Amino acid sequence: LVHSTKNKPMEILRNGIIGVDTSGKILFVKDDDSIESLSAELGFSPEVRNLKDSQFFIPGFVDTHIHAPQYPNTGTKVDLPLLEWLNAYTFPLETKYSDVKFARDVYKKVVHKTLSNGTTTACYFATIHHRASMALCDAAELFGQRAYVGKCNSDQNLPDNYCEGTDASLRDTEEFIIEVLARKNPLITPIITPRYAVSCTTELMSGLGKLAEKYDLPIQSHLCESLAEVKWVSELFPQFHSYTDVYDKCGVFTNKTVMAHCVYLTEFDLALMKERGVGVSHCPNSNLSICSGLMDSRTWLDKGLKVGLGTDVSGGYHPSMLDAIRLAIHTSNALSIQRPPDYRPLSYQEAFRMATLGGAEVLALDDTIGNFEVGKDFDALLVDMESSNSRVDTFDFDSTEDLVQKFLFIGDDRNIQEVYVCGQKVMDHAK
Ligand code: GUN
Ligand code: FE
């Protein structure tokens, strides 16, 4: 069993035994114990499954920021900076989701792809379209992925055919929330989703803050992603102290808020986010692909911010959280080259934590998922470094740490044999 704890970025229980009850909750976690003594302790003999030496369980990955509607563009069109990229490629694609049939087709693909790559929890941006956003809930439900789904809101500075009226945006969002909550699927949660400060009037933003409060919901948006965007926000909102101040004054900075990117945070921003308990979704692929900047995860962690990882498909060109782990490490390495010698780049263990427990913290789900703790839901990946189709060479002198590192650096979905969400096997690649 390989997971993170509050104090350790990575803990390896070499002879770990994990017990999962029929409701999908973790009943016990032991190391160096025997099934016989466990059975005596439990008062019954559990059904037992043994793993091979090449196999281990890790917690499922938590993608804290992904745009499901942008999936068709994944792997293409990353040749422009953010604001130009949005206008040239992203808004025209997102406009197409007025067609629910188109949405259904794409959303099944993106959920299947991310789940296959080990994303057991995804925090999704959808589009402004209520019906298409419901189709994303349907897709997550169909495949059994845990998901936050946000109908996106924008009432200014977007193309006319992809912009809402303020009242209509709020009304549609409340209807969406009520419809999602009525499903009573504990795995699917609506998330309040103002696209970013640029595209929302303070009236809309404040209305969304009130909706979040009324229904006790999480909130997501973008923050301090590129220099041009930060400058535009300061021009649009001169009455506010900073980018974060806009969100805070509108009531969308809560301890259930996740902000994507956060490359250019000032001391003021950092202090405010810490105070409010706002989490950071670090999206290194996107930050590098569309040349937004290098986010300093080390400093943000040292300042006490919660930090998770996001793929930010399709500003990020890769839907796998393994890629996010790698690029988070490389971003940190690149920063360290310019910093004083005592600057510590992110370790692979810390990046792993950000992809699992860190993400759960950012989404305020750390009482439910993120690691193997008694009472949490069993969201897990069975990794096999010697799966029949594995592309990774292993050696009999490889330690467990070596196998874990090989998975994180050069493994892929062919090493993810089984995927579990709340104890249910939702994907089985061995079959
Ligand atoms: N800022 C506003 N919208 C977007 C988006 O779709 N992607 C990214 N990366 N940043 C944004
Ligand atoms: Fe984004």
Side-chain angles (χ1 to χ4, degrees):
L1 302 174
V2 181
H3 73 151
S4 308
T5 65
K6 268 257 166 293
N7 304 319
K8 284 194 210 156
M10 186 179 284
E11 178 177 70
I12 300 181
L13 307 178
R14 272 183 191 71
N15 301 305
I17 307 178
I18 188 160
V20 180
D21 70 18
T22 49
S23 73
K25 292 217 180 304
I26 299 171
L27 197 58
F28 58 83
V29 179
K30 306 274 186 185
D31 202 11
D32 295 316
D33 213 329
S34 73
I35 295 294
E36 290 69 32
S37 69
L38 261 172
S39 299
E41 206 177 299
L42 289 166
F44 65 92
S45 298
E47 193 182 311
V48 177
R49 170 174 180 192
N50 289 301
L51 300 189
K52 296 189 291 180
D53 283 349
S54 60
Q55 296 176 318
F56 50 88
F57 274 117
I58 64 169
F61 292 133
V62 180
D63 187 342
T64 57
H65 186 74
I66 170 165
H67 296 262
Q70 296 172 20
Y71 184 60
N73 278 352
T74 315
T76 69
K77 304 182 169 74
V78 283
D79 56 354
L80 288 174
L82 177 66
L83 301 175
E84 290 79 1
W85 172 87
L86 284 169
N87 283 320
Y89 308 129
T90 304
F91 298 144
L93 173 58
E94 290 196 17
T95 309
K96 292 193 189 178
Y97 290 77
S98 55
D99 177 351
V100 183
K101 193 176 162 310
F102 177 73
R104 277 207 192 95
D105 178 45
V106 174
Y107 288 161
K108 277 188 204 151
K109 287 194 169 81
V110 68
V111 171
H112 188 268
K113 176 62 71 182
T114 54
L115 204 51
S116 304
N117 279 280
T119 300
T120 50
T121 297
C123 184
Y124 287 116
F125 264 66
T127 58
I128 62 169
H129 313 99
H130 174 172
R131 299 268 43 105
S133 303
M134 288 310 301
L136 181 51
C137 298
D138 293 341
E141 199 163 278
L142 177 70
F143 292 106
Q145 190 175 48
R146 192 184 296 274
Y148 279 6
V149 179
K151 182 212 115 42
C152 197
N153 302 87
S154 296
D155 68 344
Q156 65 175 7
N157 295 318
L158 254 73
D160 286 345
N161 63 350
Y162 194 49
C163 204
E164 310 163 284
T166 311
D167 292 340
S169 180
L170 289 169
R171 206 178 330 111
D172 266 7
T173 303
E174 186 155 18
E175 282 170 14
F176 170 74
I177 292 166
I178 291 168
E179 205 172 324
V180 179
L181 295 177
R183 295 179 163 218
K184 298 206 180 311
N185 179 342
L187 299 178
I188 314 279
T189 307
I191 179 165
I192 297 293
T193 307
R195 184 170 201 117
Y196 66 150
V198 165
S199 78
C200 298
T201 59
T202 53
E203 195 187 348
L204 175 59
M205 193 72 80
S206 302
L208 292 171
K210 290 203 181 78
L211 279 178
E213 194 180 1
K214 179 171 172 189
Y215 294 95
D216 189 22
L217 294 178
I219 302 170
Q220 64 180 345
S221 194
H222 296 89
L223 172 66
C224 295
E225 178 174 0
S226 81
L227 289 171
E229 171 225 22
V230 172
K231 181 162 172 281
W232 196 7
V233 170
S234 70
E235 287 162 5
L236 283 170
F237 302 96
Q239 70 276 35
F240 292 93
H241 188 76
S242 74
Y243 200 152
T244 49
D245 193 37
V246 180
Y247 288 138
D248 190 48
K249 295 267 165 57
C250 292
V252 297
F253 257 14
T254 74
N255 59 8
K256 286 191 186 181
T257 299
V258 49
M259 285 286 152
H261 302 286
C262 301
V263 180
Y264 301 101
L265 300 179
T266 61
E267 287 296 330
F268 174 90
D269 297 328
L270 287 164
L272 183 61
M273 291 172 74
K274 169 106 197 292
E275 166 96 20
R276 299 285 186 262
V278 172
V280 172
S281 173
H282 179 25
C283 303
N285 189 315
S286 172
N287 292 343
L288 293 164
S289 295
I290 56 174
C291 298
S292 298
L294 303 176
M295 197 204 87
D296 186 353
S297 51
R298 167 65 63 219
T299 304
W300 293 184
L301 286 169
D302 284 351
K303 297 273 183 190
L305 294 188
K306 301 178 282 188
V307 184
L309 291 180
T311 57
D312 194 29
V313 158
S314 66
Y317 62 72
H318 209 302
S320 169
M321 287 293 289
L322 286 169
D323 171 85
I325 288 172
R326 292 162 197 166
L327 294 200
I329 294 168
H330 283 180
T331 295
S332 191
N333 286 348
L335 277 167
S336 77
I337 295 165
Q338 315 277 340
R339 302 285 159 116
D342 63 345
Y343 182 94
R344 278 184 308 126
L346 213 58
S347 66
Y348 76 87
Q349 293 97 330
E350 288 173 300
F352 168 80
R353 187 185 194 282
M354 282 174 20
T356 54
L357 186 58
E361 287 168 356
V362 161
L363 300 184
L365 283 174
D366 50 316
D367 285 340
T368 312
I369 54 161
N371 64 357
F372 298 136
E373 231 172 68
V374 172
K376 288 194 183 183
D377 290 359
F378 184 68
D379 283 19
L381 314 180
L382 176 63
V383 178
D384 190 345
M385 295 314 293
E386 290 169 9
S387 58
S388 58
N389 54 352
S390 176
R391 288 297 182 270
V392 180
D393 286 319
T394 60
F395 299 87
D396 54 13
F397 48 83
D398 278 338
S399 65
T400 311
E401 283 87 349
D402 291 335
L403 292 183
V404 173
Q405 282 189 71
K406 284 188 178 187
F407 173 60
L408 296 179
F409 281 110
I410 55 173
D412 58 35
D413 55 324
R414 288 166 291 201
N415 298 106
I416 300 175
Q417 288 261 284
E418 298 171 17
V419 179
Y420 292 82
V421 176
C422 197
Q424 293 290 319
K425 197 196 290 181
V426 293
M427 220 158 255
D428 192 339
H429 291 303
K431 283 197 175 139

